Amino acid sequence: DIQMTQSPSTLSASVGDRVTITCRASQSISTWVAWYQQKPGKAPKLLIYQASRLESGVPSRFSGSGSGTEFTLTISSLQPDDFSTYYCQQYNSYSRAFGQGTKVQI
Amino acid sequence: EVLLLESGGDLVQPGGSLRLSCAASRFTFSDYAFNWVRQAPGKGLEWVSAIDNSGFNTFYADSVKGRFTISRDNSKYTLFLQMNSLRAEDTAVYYCTRVSLVTSNFDYWGPGTLVTVSS
C-alpha cells in the first residue's frame, strides 16, 4: 500500500506568515494528492485536489504543488482562521492513505 | 445542501460487534461511491473502507480486513459499516464521506459517530 509521510507534525507561525507543509509518497502517484483542513471537533474540509487544483470556495492564499512523490501545501499569508490541522491524502489507489497531519499553531 | 448523518456509535466490549449507519439526503445516493474514515482520540485520520456506487466493489484497510464489512442500501439512501471482533484500537470517531463525481475526492463528510471499545 502507498504510504504518505507528512512534515512537520507541528508548525508554529504568526498571522501573515508564509507556511509550507510537505508530503512524500512511498511511490509515484502522479498528481493524485488532496489536502484537507480540520478544525477541532469538526469533519475535515477539502482544500486542494489533484495536487494543485483549488476546491470551490477555498481562499486563493491556499495553493498546492508537486507531482510524483513530493507535494507541498502553501498558505501565502496565514490568517487567524487558518490555525488548524492539515492532512494530505493520496488517491492513486483505492486505499486512500492520509499523512500524519500538521498542526499549525501560534 | 448535501446531508450525511452517521449513527450507531456506542460503548462496546472488546470482541463485540456494532453496526454503523450513514443516512444520506438531498442528492442521488446511487450515483456516488462512499468511504468510511476514522479518527482515534487525539490522532490523525485513517482511511477504513470504500464502496462503489453499485455496492459490488468494496475495499478495506489491512487493519480492519476480515472484521469489518461495508455495504449500502441504495433504495434507503443508507451506507453501513458492520464491525465485528472489535478491539480497543478501533476506538475512534467514524466519518462517512462521499466521493465527488468531479474531483474523486471526499467532498462531503458527516459529523461522525463515536465508537468506544472498552471493558
Side-chain angles (χ1 to χ4, degrees):
Chain A
D1 288 353
I2 299 170
Q3 308 299 321
M4 302 296 284
T5 303
Q6 189 174 337
S7 62
S9 56
T10 306
L11 191 159
S12 296
S14 301
V15 172
D17 283 355
R18 180 182 181 87
V19 165
T20 298
I21 299 168
T22 299
C23 209
R24 178 178 291 116
S26 58
Q27 65 188 70
S28 179
I29 54 173
S30 184
T31 57
W32 301 116
V33 161
W35 292 92
Y36 294 84
Q37 176 192 59
Q38 187 181 33
K39 295 185 180 290
K42 300 292 186 181
K45 170 189 170 185
L46 178 65
L47 298 176
I48 301 279
Y49 64 96
Q50 210 171 327
S52 61
R53 296 180 181 271
L54 202 64
E55 173 73 343
S56 176
V58 173
S60 58
R61 63 180 179 273
F62 292 92
S63 64
S65 65
S67 66
T69 61
E70 296 280 338
F71 303 90
T72 60
L73 172 71
T74 300
I75 308 172
S76 60
S77 177
L78 203 62
Q79 299 301 300
D81 189 52
D82 301 338
F83 290 97
S84 303
T85 301
Y86 295 85
Y87 294 91
C88 62
Q89 183 198 34
Q90 68 83 14
Y91 56 111
N92 182 73
S93 67
Y94 68 84
S95 62
R96 296 185 175 223
F98 290 92
Q100 299 91 330
T102 296
K103 183 176 182 180
V104 177
Q105 61 186 19
I106 299 173
Chain B
E1 177 76 2
V2 166
L3 287 180
L4 299 173
L5 184 61
E6 304 92 341
S7 61
D10 204 348
L11 171 63
V12 60
Q13 292 190 340
S17 297
L18 212 54
R19 189 195 201 197
L20 304 184
S21 300
C22 174
S25 59
R26 303 181 187 176
F27 64 98
T28 304
F29 185 76
S30 59
D31 285 347
Y32 292 84
F34 286 86
N35 287 247
W36 287 96
V37 174
R38 69 184 181 184
Q39 187 168 36
K43 303 297 184 183
L45 301 170
E46 180 187 12
W47 174 79
V48 173
S49 184
I51 189 167
D52 70 1
N53 66 315
S54 68
F56 290 142
N57 294 297
T58 58
F59 308 93
Y60 299 93
D62 288 343
S63 58
V64 306
K65 200 172 294 182
R67 301 187 299 123
F68 289 13
T69 302
I70 190 172
S71 63
R72 63 191 294 161
D73 185 335
N74 284 348
S75 68
K76 295 184 177 178
Y77 276 46
T78 306
L79 175 73
F80 301 102
L81 186 67
Q82 177 67 44
M83 304 186 295
N84 298 331
S85 303
L86 283 162
R87 307 166 179 166
E89 54 265 36
D90 295 320
T91 294
V93 173
Y94 284 73
Y95 295 102
C96 150
T97 72
R98 191 185 82 165
V99 179
S100 167
L101 296 177
V102 176
T103 71
S104 297
N105 292 112
F106 302 162
D107 59 354
Y108 284 93
W109 298 60
T113 188
L114 176 62
V115 172
T116 304
V117 184
S118 175
S119 55

